[in-house]
Amino acid sequence: DAGDKTQVFNSLWYPDDTYDAPLLGIDLLAFNRKKFLFIVDFQPLPDNHEQSNTDYTQFIKHIHDTMSPSLQGKMSQRFYDENQFFSKNLLFGRLQDEDENFIYSDLWTAFGKYVQNHVDMIQRHVTPNPKRTDHIREGQRQYDVYSAARDPAHALFTNIFGKEWADGYVYDFLFDISGGPENE
């Protein structure tokens, strides 16, 4: 929290490793109350969504398809490949000089629906599958390796706090099952 200058909310929900279920990834950023960047997604793990008994897209596609086009943007290839670890129904946008009411109405509504549907999916529609725990853990590890290597926050934190602190934050906190930079 840096007041009006910068606001960042980042959250990544890993379901229990007996569930063949996507992660819930959330990034909501605001700069000077004029520029906004957001990503909210059910982020699939490698192969899990294809072998799962639950088609998770049913929980978000109807939300995605009814949202404002401003919430249905495309990511650039600068940091992430939209085809790896992202669903086709992600909420994504870069807004500049938008009416702030849009953030509090449209984005907040979509964000809330994605969060509620992820919770609902895990609680009521996904059956634990302990036989796939090792596969699921490996998918989560692959996600962490991929994300740790590409997270734009690493460069920012390196400039502000130094490489040692930034590495610790990214590899020991944000993506702690990545195994560190030597596994990239």
Side-chain angles (χ1 to χ4, degrees):
D1 179 3
D4 285 345
K5 185 176 178 185
T6 305
Q7 291 287 312
V8 176
F9 178 77
N10 174 269
S11 187
L12 187 58
W13 299 13
Y14 292 76
D16 184 85
D17 58 16
T18 61
Y19 291 107
D20 278 333
L23 308 178
L24 174 63
I26 304 165
D27 285 298
L28 307 172
L29 298 91
F31 305 99
N32 298 314
R33 298 180 80 128
K34 293 183 188 276
K35 292 183 182 181
F36 304 94
L37 172 67
F38 55 86
I39 302 170
V40 182
D41 194 20
F42 283 28
Q43 297 184 264
L45 297 175
D47 300 325
N48 283 10
H49 61 287
E50 294 166 5
Q51 297 177 21
S52 175
N53 293 328
T54 304
D55 175 13
Y56 72 89
T57 58
Q58 69 176 321
F59 294 93
I60 56 175
K61 184 170 178 21
H62 68 282
I63 301 167
H64 179 270
D65 292 350
T66 60
M67 289 293 128
S68 163
S70 296
L71 298 172
Q72 299 176 2
K74 292 289 183 191
M75 294 173 42
S76 75
Q77 297 281 326
R78 183 174 176 193
F79 297 107
Y80 297 103
D81 177 354
E82 194 174 72
N83 298 308
Q84 290 189 35
F85 300 106
F86 293 95
S87 79
K88 303 224 180 304
N89 297 299
L90 82 149
L91 299 179
F92 178 82
R94 293 174 204 251
L95 307 174
Q96 188 165 339
D97 298 323
E98 294 288 323
D99 179 6
E100 208 170 322
N101 289 330
F102 175 84
I103 302 302
Y104 298 116
S105 59
D106 294 34
L107 176 57
W108 187 250
T109 298
F111 162 74
K113 287 179 178 180
Y114 269 52
V115 169
Q116 185 58 52
N117 281 330
H118 194 271
V119 170
D120 181 59
M121 177 186 67
I122 299 298
Q123 289 179 339
R124 299 184 341 174
H125 300 284
V126 179
T127 304
N129 187 349
K131 292 178 183 175
R132 290 187 39 84
T133 296
D134 289 342
H135 181 77
I136 293 165
R137 283 183 187 154
E138 176 57 19
Q140 291 174 347
R141 189 195 68 75
Q142 288 177 30
Y143 176 89
D144 271 20
V145 168
Y146 177 85
S147 295
R150 290 163 181 76
D151 194 313
H154 187 267
L156 174 72
F157 292 140
T158 298
N159 288 335
I160 296 171
F161 303 111
K163 183 174 178 5
E164 182 178 342
W165 188 94
D167 283 353
Y169 185 72
V170 169
Y171 295 106
D172 299 332
F173 179 69
L174 289 179
F175 306 109
D176 62 318
I177 58 176
S178 69
E182 60 277 359
N183 289 321
E184 291 178 7

